[in-house]
Amino acid sequence: MERVVTNETIRNLKGIKIISIGLAIFVLIFATLLIDQPPRPKPSTAPVKEFSAERAMQHLQQIAKDIHHSGSKQIEDVRQYLMAELTRLGVQPYTQQEVGITYDNQKVDLHNIIGVLKGKSSGGKVLVLMSHYDSVDMGPGANDAGTGVAALLEAVRALTNNEQLQNDIWIVLTDGEEMGLQGANGFWKRAEHLEQIGLVVNFEARGSKGASLMFQTSEDNGVLIEHFAQAAPEPVANSFMGDIYRLLPNQTDLTVSLRAGIPGINFAYVDGWTAYHTPEDNLDNVDLSTLQHHGENALAMARQFGNINLENLRTSDHVYFNLFGLLIHYPSSLVVPIAFILWVAFSALLFVASRQQHIRLRGMTTSLLALVGSALLSLVLSFVLYQLVYMLWASKVTLFNGATYDAYLYHISFLLLTLLVHGFLLKKLHDRINELEMMLTGMLFFLLLLTASVIWLPGASYLWMIPLIIHSIVIGFSLYKKDAKVLSGVPAMLVTAVVPVTLFTSLFHLLFIAMPPFKTIVVTIILTLIIAMLNPIFRLLSFHYRWFVTIVAASIVVLLAWGWIHAVPSEERPVFEHLYERY
């Protein structure tokens, strides 16, 4: 019997394909965000060799029960508690006194606390685990950096219940960090510290929740990244973030040791930025999962670097990033030759595609103009939208530290607006540009960004390089088969989507929780390029144009309406207007 394929059957199959691909993209995004979350906190009954957030919280309740800025009576109480706990743990604590200067030019006594956990072969280079125990004078500093201090105390307890490590470990808790790193400056002025210490691992916070990020290393970090990848139980890190941080004016205690030429690694968490340097940085706003992750990183770094030779920890930099819970890393020296190969491969794809008449000069030119226009229009409209939102209501819930309540709603709105803009232009130019032409144009821009990153931000090169490798293989296969329809098949769409969706979901998430909306508007340009690279998927999902526009536009309205409705300062959402002039 001859099978008759009706228009209704074709529409049904198209609908199934749209739902399947849409669901797959959603699952990828959701899984990526889930993997980047901190682990569940362990109870106080956890085995003694493991880190327990509940046990660490008992320390934090003593450290952050009140504001304890440098020179205050409260910091003396905290210092006595820390000295007593370190003594109980057998790490022989002592204090190093320095004279600090407050922001209003008053002298104040600073006291760094140093505890020594002896290793089997004392005499080699020392590992330093560092945090600061002073708070700002506006809040108790439960997160900044009370969790770091509490995590180190609990990590030391776990270490003392395990086999003795090879190297000495110094627990260094600095004073005066919030006054301009003065305690750290005093510590590193001492020549014996510069001579004895091989590595510093620092713990900080600029938020109240989220994953403990390994966001900074010293230069020539190849060995450090190899050991971090081996040891970290749930690593969250990428070299793009590390390169960007090097360009920012932000400083932590690790800044001082890096200037002194000591290798180092920095951990912090940045979600929940609205609590940073405010009275809300209190015990009620400490996330036990975040504390667990912070502490597990501390314990893992101690065990890993406490058992290796710390004499020479410098080799050429590595590029590194998270992918499905793993830390992928490779020498940055590979980036230049791979970039060259990708340019050659792209040129070959253009040549073969043109010979096979899959692409036309007019189509490539049109797609180039459309992509540039879409990126610029998305950027401008998002900027205008942000200005309106900020002027109408977001300014009322923006704090003195730069954080805005519900900022994530606005970040997502910019991305959705970009989808609308690209969808509109693609609808107008649908018959003038085919899928392969748009994909190759997207690849061209990725190659340009890869080339720029090789020069200025090598740590960001993976964002462009890995998707380009996969796209080159998939498009090359379609040209080998002489069938461009391969690109619109489900297997090709899924293969080309997995890596860019995963990498950029993780990156966008980090940017959104760490930066204000007006600084992340630039990601609309990146999203436009990603859409071009994944053009078959975007064409499929926007196939029913009216439904696409309705759903995306309605989502923007809902997000903005939610932000507007909740843009009211309250006890749950304080803005601390009385602190604006002091900050």
Side-chain angles (χ1 to χ4, degrees):
M1 178 183 293
E2 184 178 352
R3 184 178 180 183
V4 179
V5 179
T6 65
N7 288 335
E8 184 178 354
T9 301
I10 293 175
R11 284 196 298 270
N12 289 338
L13 291 174
K14 194 84 170 181
I16 293 173
K17 190 175 181 181
I18 291 172
I19 293 173
S20 300
I21 295 298
L23 182 61
I25 298 296
F26 174 80
V27 169
L28 270 177
I29 293 173
F30 179 79
T32 300
L33 295 175
L34 186 64
I35 290 172
D36 286 349
Q37 294 303 305
R40 290 183 178 180
K42 292 183 179 179
S44 56
T45 55
V48 294
K49 294 181 180 180
E50 297 179 4
F51 184 94
S52 162
E54 286 192 2
R55 287 193 289 251
M57 190 66 185
Q58 294 171 12
H59 294 301
L60 189 57
Q61 287 169 348
Q62 300 300 316
I63 296 168
K65 60 185 178 182
D66 202 352
I67 295 172
H68 51 284
H69 58 85
S70 296
S72 65
K73 172 64 173 63
Q74 290 82 358
I75 201 171
E76 292 181 18
D77 296 338
V78 172
R79 181 163 57 252
Q80 290 177 9
Y81 174 80
L82 295 176
M83 292 289 288
E85 287 300 304
L86 289 170
T87 301
R88 184 176 64 83
L89 292 170
V91 296
Q92 307 169 28
Y94 62 95
T95 60
Q96 171 198 313
Q97 187 168 344
E98 300 287 338
V99 177
I101 304 295
T102 65
Y103 288 116
D104 56 356
N105 293 319
Q106 300 296 315
K107 289 185 178 182
V108 60
D109 289 334
L110 304 178
H111 301 82
N112 294 329
I113 300 173
I114 303 166
V116 181
L117 182 62
K118 286 292 186 179
K120 291 180 180 178
S121 55
S122 295
K125 289 285 188 178
V126 170
L127 169 64
V128 166
L129 302 180
M130 178 180 284
S131 191
H132 71 89
Y133 72 99
D134 61 311
S135 75
V136 293
D137 62 358
M138 293 178 281
N143 291 284
D144 178 24
T147 54
V149 176
L152 293 185
L153 289 178
E154 168 62 6
V156 170
R157 185 211 54 77
L159 290 171
T160 57
N161 281 280
N162 210 329
E163 184 179 350
Q164 188 178 18
L165 301 174
Q166 292 295 323
N167 302 323
D168 285 355
I169 296 180
W170 291 7
I171 309 301
V172 178
L173 308 177
T174 65
D175 192 358
E177 192 272 352
E178 300 292 2
M179 292 173 13
L181 318 180
Q182 294 188 43
N185 279 317
F187 179 84
W188 291 107
K189 282 179 182 177
R190 306 205 173 189
E192 63 270 24
H193 294 165
L194 296 174
E195 294 170 359
Q196 290 178 271
I197 294 168
L199 176 68
V200 180
V201 183
N202 189 58
F203 294 86
E204 262 288 359
R206 204 212 61 175
S208 60
K209 59 183 178 179
S212 175
L213 312 172
M214 196 285 285
F215 69 98
Q216 182 189 21
T217 70
S218 49
E219 295 181 355
D220 302 320
N221 63 19
V223 172
L224 298 181
I225 296 302
E226 288 177 358
H227 284 286
F228 172 71
Q230 293 172 16
E234 298 185 42
V236 180
N238 65 69
S239 50
F240 172 77
M241 183 168 55
D243 276 6
I244 289 294
Y245 189 82
R246 289 177 185 177
L247 301 177
L248 296 175
N250 305 53
Q251 296 183 336
T252 68
D253 278 344
L254 189 71
T255 304
V256 185
S257 59
L258 293 182
R259 287 173 182 165
I262 308 298
I265 300 175
N266 224 347
F267 289 90
Y269 51 95
V270 296
D271 202 357
W273 183 15
T274 51
Y276 178 62
H277 280 188
T278 77
E280 291 295 292
D281 189 6
N282 54 39
L283 293 169
D284 292 336
N285 286 318
V286 172
D287 188 298
L288 282 179
S289 293
T290 299
L291 180 54
Q292 183 69 36
H293 201 193
H294 227 29
E296 287 184 0
N297 280 330
L299 186 56
M301 294 303 99
R303 286 173 173 163
Q304 184 73 13
F305 291 105
N307 277 321
I308 69 168
N309 190 330
L310 302 179
E311 290 290 339
N312 186 7
L313 294 178
R314 295 186 181 277
T315 58
S316 60
D317 280 332
H318 273 214
V319 176
Y320 54 95
F321 57 92
N322 289 108
L323 191 64
F324 306 121
L326 301 174
L327 190 79
I328 310 299
H329 62 97
Y330 51 87
S332 58
S333 58
L334 296 177
V335 175
V336 171
I338 292 177
F340 176 78
I341 292 171
L342 286 170
W343 272 110
V344 173
F346 177 72
S347 301
L349 292 175
L350 281 179
F351 176 77
V352 175
S354 179
R355 287 291 298 270
Q356 294 182 4
Q357 298 183 346
H358 292 307
I359 62 173
R360 306 148 297 164
L361 178 60
R362 181 180 178 182
M364 291 296 296
T365 303
T366 304
S367 65
L368 179 65
L369 294 174
L371 196 54
V372 172
S374 178
L376 293 178
L377 187 58
S378 298
L379 182 67
V380 170
L381 291 179
S382 295
F383 178 76
V384 171
L385 177 61
Y386 168 74
Q387 291 295 332
L388 287 172
V389 166
Y390 186 81
M391 180 177 63
L392 293 174
W393 69 80
S395 61
K396 295 185 295 185
V397 284
T398 297
L399 283 74
F400 58 88
N401 61 14
T404 301
Y405 288 104
D406 295 324
Y408 217 95
L409 301 178
Y410 312 129
H411 295 299
I412 300 299
S413 296
F414 302 151
L415 298 184
L416 293 175
L417 183 59
T418 303
L419 297 182
L420 278 184
V421 171
H422 196 83
F424 172 77
L425 291 178
L426 191 63
K427 177 71 173 177
K428 295 295 182 183
L429 302 172
H430 184 273
D431 297 330
R432 301 183 190 179
I433 309 170
N434 64 40
E435 293 174 340
L436 182 55
E437 289 166 344
M438 184 57 80
M439 291 178 75
L440 288 171
T441 304
M443 287 182 67
L444 173 62
F445 279 95
F446 263 51
L447 277 166
L448 292 173
L449 288 170
L450 173 59
T451 304
S453 68
V454 167
I455 300 171
W456 291 294
L457 288 174
S461 59
Y462 73 94
L463 290 166
W464 327 113
M465 190 172 74
I466 308 301
L468 280 169
I469 292 172
I470 295 174
H471 271 66
S472 297
I473 294 171
V474 172
I475 293 175
F477 178 76
S478 73
L479 295 178
Y480 172 76
K481 289 291 187 179
K482 298 182 179 180
D483 184 7
K485 292 182 179 179
V486 168
L487 299 175
S488 58
V490 172
M493 285 195 284
L494 291 177
V495 169
T496 54
V498 169
V499 170
V501 169
T502 302
L503 292 182
F504 284 98
T505 294
S506 184
L507 176 65
F508 287 179
H509 172 66
L510 287 177
L511 292 176
F512 291 170
I513 64 176
M515 303 180 75
F518 74 89
K519 288 188 178 180
T520 63
I521 292 175
V522 70
V523 303
T524 58
I525 296 177
I526 298 176
L527 180 60
T528 301
L529 303 182
I530 296 170
I531 294 171
M533 292 275 283
L534 304 180
N535 188 254
I537 293 176
F538 187 79
R539 284 179 184 250
L540 177 67
L541 297 181
S542 62
F543 177 75
H544 297 292
Y545 184 69
R546 290 184 179 179
W547 278 108
F548 171 78
V549 171
T550 300
I551 292 172
V552 175
S555 299
I556 295 174
V557 171
V558 169
L559 291 174
L560 296 180
W562 183 275
W564 173 66
I565 291 170
H566 291 86
V568 180
S570 63
E571 288 187 9
E572 291 74 27
R573 294 182 164 213
V575 294
F576 307 110
E577 292 183 357
H578 64 290
L579 297 178
Y580 273 65
E581 294 183 359
R582 295 176 56 196
Y583 190 76

